Amino acid sequence: MTKLLLSLHVLASILAVGPVTVAASMFPRYARSPAPGGTGAGDHDLRTAAFLHKICRVYAMVGIAVPVLGFATGAQMGVLGDAWLLVSIVLTAVAAALLMAMVLPGQRELLGEEGEGEGEGPVAERRAAAGRLAMTTGIFNLLWATVVVLMIVRPGSTTGA
């Protein structure tokens, strides 16, 4: 049963969290406004950004299976009290909170500003917001990368390599 749960947990991680990290990372590039006097985000780019946002929303909901299966796997393995798992749980919670409180709302905000203002101010503000969103998404991705490393290395674990 442990191998089945662990396999499902890893598959859910790859299939649910992977698309969110990639789509969220790509989103700011497509949501940026054009530089003054230059070319940039056109209708195609904004449609792509909307599609990437949809991927993030849908796969974030599917991603709930990852911690559910993780808890089941940890309970089956008897490691729920291990430090490496507790740190992973905290980092997962922080990543989920960051996604729900900053990344998805930031994406919605950039999509909602479509067509607003034509001056240099709104373009500069939009580009700055896209830059902040890219940074926040980078932190989100770094949290997931840290969780993956902890899951593989399992420092101090008596069940690990």
Side-chain angles (χ1 to χ4, degrees):
M1 185 62 151
T2 301
K3 289 181 182 182
L4 174 64
L5 286 172
L6 183 57
S7 296
L8 292 173
H9 174 62
V10 170
L11 280 171
S13 298
I14 293 167
L15 298 175
V17 178
V20 173
T21 59
V22 171
S25 295
M26 293 173 61
F27 180 89
R29 177 196 181 280
Y30 289 99
R32 280 190 180 95
S33 284
T39 60
D43 288 341
H44 173 72
D45 287 349
L46 292 175
R47 283 193 307 269
T48 301
F51 179 67
L52 292 169
H53 175 62
K54 184 175 183 177
I55 289 172
C56 290
R57 278 192 345 259
V58 170
Y59 281 91
M61 299 310 294
V62 174
I64 293 170
V66 175
V68 169
L69 290 165
F71 275 112
T73 304
Q76 186 74 26
M77 293 173 67
V79 296
L80 286 179
D82 287 7
W84 63 271
L85 187 60
L86 295 174
V87 171
S88 294
I89 291 168
V90 168
L91 293 176
T92 298
V94 171
L98 194 62
L99 178 67
M100 297 311 235
M102 296 185 77
V103 174
L104 293 176
Q107 290 177 347
R108 277 193 301 271
E109 179 183 329
L110 282 170
L111 289 173
E113 291 179 1
E114 179 180 348
E116 286 185 13
E118 292 296 325
E120 199 167 311
V123 170
E125 289 172 22
R126 185 177 179 90
R127 292 180 73 79
R132 284 189 303 275
L133 181 60
M135 180 191 67
T136 304
T137 301
I139 294 168
F140 170 76
N141 292 342
L142 184 61
L143 288 167
W144 279 119
T146 305
V147 170
V148 168
V149 169
L150 285 171
M151 292 286 146
I152 294 169
V153 175
R154 300 187 285 186
S157 172
T158 57
T159 61

